Amino acid sequence: MKIAQTIVVVGDIHSELALAAAALDRVEEQFGPIAQVFSVGDVGLFLERGDWEFLTGPKKHRHPERSGEIAAAWKEWRWPLSMIGGNHEPYQWLREFASQRFGGHLDYINAGILSHHVPGLQVYGLSGIHHPEHMTFASGENPTGARPRQWVDLVQLAAAKKVSLKRLTYYKQTEIDRLLALPRAPDLLLLHDWPVPPPHVRGSTRRPERDIVERLAPKYVCSGHHHTPAEIMLGPSRFIGLNIISSREELRRRAVSPGWAAIFSWDGSELERCAIWPAARRLPVV
């Protein structure tokens, strides 16, 4: 008799590691022990003060004083975590993955097959977001004249403030090609951005994520980024959009936003959706 394992895919955490851990404790109370946690990006593992220098966006969102609490929560984290990157990460440690930086209990991928601890489960992932003018490493203005060829080159240029930090958040055409060369029909595909425009984004054009989903035809696709829970069928694939862990108002109450996590069961051969957690009263129609 096969014993099903509980698999959890979580939405954006944005450095709220302690709240995420408390939420997963509640998930275990309801669904049993968690075998594996997957993240669709924007975990925000800014473990040291200097890591915040790689946070994209306005400086007002950088909080180096929080690194102590984030590091403490990560030290107590007790579930295997496999993630793709979003657009708010310490990418100097991820694009050229330094697993030892995270204590050796984090798995990450820029693009391709994502490592994890569940035998037989096939998971693909793509880190980052789309920018049509930055689909190659050497694209974009570069005042130094250097032509980066890989992530390590871009990380060095960004660290020296010779290119924008945002360039570390844009995936490349070679990474899309790597994904599309993989066997079809994985159990789970993780993307940070959605394969379809979310309800609140108007005038959006077709994006590479949709092409990836249509070509690979995964059983499930999970994304974050837009902080909106949603479900829709895209051909044979069920797309699940996940919420941010907590809105500003909910964070004051240490409450978890509806639709932050998708709960699955895995019996060794079939991945099945169990629930969207916390329950969202109504999922938007995309």
Side-chain angles (χ1 to χ4, degrees):
M1 178 180 177
K2 295 180 179 179
I3 300 176
Q5 295 178 289
T6 298
I7 310 296
V8 182
V9 183
V10 301
D12 297 13
I13 295 175
H14 287 291
S15 301
E16 296 294 338
L17 266 293
L19 181 58
L24 292 174
D25 283 336
R26 290 168 54 194
V27 169
E28 288 195 318
E29 291 174 2
Q30 186 173 352
F31 296 94
I34 296 171
Q36 178 72 49
V37 177
F38 292 99
S39 166
V40 295
D42 281 359
V43 175
L45 289 170
F46 298 95
L47 303 181
E48 294 188 1
R49 295 179 66 91
D51 292 347
W52 291 91
E53 293 299 316
F54 278 79
L55 177 69
T56 56
K59 290 185 178 180
K60 67 179 181 180
H61 296 313
R62 298 179 184 180
H63 296 285
E65 73 280 359
R66 294 194 57 211
S67 286
E69 68 180 71
I70 296 168
W74 181 239
K75 185 177 181 179
E76 297 299 321
W77 187 271
R78 58 185 182 83
W79 303 272
L81 177 62
S82 294
M83 66 173 283
I84 59 169
N87 57 313
H88 300 291
E89 309 281 13
Y91 264 130
Q92 76 274 34
W93 305 117
L94 293 176
R95 285 306 190 184
E96 288 293 313
F97 185 42
S99 61
Q100 71 281 359
R101 177 75 175 186
F102 304 101
H105 52 278
L106 176 73
D107 285 297
Y108 166 86
I109 192 72
N110 284 322
I113 299 172
L114 181 58
S115 298
H116 54 77
H117 294 253
V118 182
L121 184 67
Q122 193 170 42
V123 182
Y124 298 168
L126 174 66
S127 291
I129 57 176
H130 178 237
H131 193 301
E133 297 178 4
H134 292 279
M135 295 298 286
T136 69
F137 288 104
S139 60
E141 292 296 324
N142 184 6
T144 68
R147 296 182 63 83
R149 298 181 178 181
Q150 54 188 334
W151 283 118
V152 65
D153 299 329
L154 273 182
V155 168
Q156 290 173 354
L157 289 170
K161 303 186 186 310
K162 294 179 179 178
V163 300
S164 170
L165 288 174
K166 290 184 177 181
R167 290 186 60 179
L168 299 180
T169 73
Y170 304 138
Y171 55 69
K172 308 304 177 190
Q173 183 62 50
T174 54
E175 296 177 327
I176 294 177
D177 295 342
R178 188 181 310 150
L179 270 178
L180 297 182
L182 294 174
R184 286 169 53 86
D187 300 298
L188 177 63
L189 171 65
L190 302 179
L191 303 169
H192 188 59
D193 203 353
W194 289 24
V196 291
H200 59 280
V201 176
R202 300 186 181 278
S204 180
T205 59
R206 186 179 178 95
R207 54 195 68 192
E209 286 85 353
R210 181 64 179 267
D211 297 328
I212 292 169
V213 171
E214 290 184 354
R215 180 81 69 86
L216 292 177
K219 186 170 185 180
Y220 296 99
V221 186
C222 291
S223 300
H225 192 47
H226 292 287
H227 306 171
T228 301
E231 287 194 73
I232 185 175
M233 293 303 298
L234 298 175
S237 305
R238 178 180 290 274
F239 166 69
I240 301 175
L242 297 170
N243 209 347
I244 189 174
I245 188 169
S246 194
S247 67
R248 185 174 301 177
E249 178 180 341
E250 289 166 329
L251 197 55
R252 297 190 188 100
R253 299 181 285 110
R254 307 303 291 169
V256 177
S257 298
W260 171 65
I263 315 298
F264 297 90
S265 66
W266 171 252
D267 66 0
S269 59
E270 292 290 334
L271 185 67
E272 298 294 340
R273 174 195 177 283
C274 296
I276 302 300
W277 187 95
R281 291 184 180 180
R282 182 180 179 183
L283 295 177
V285 176
V286 180

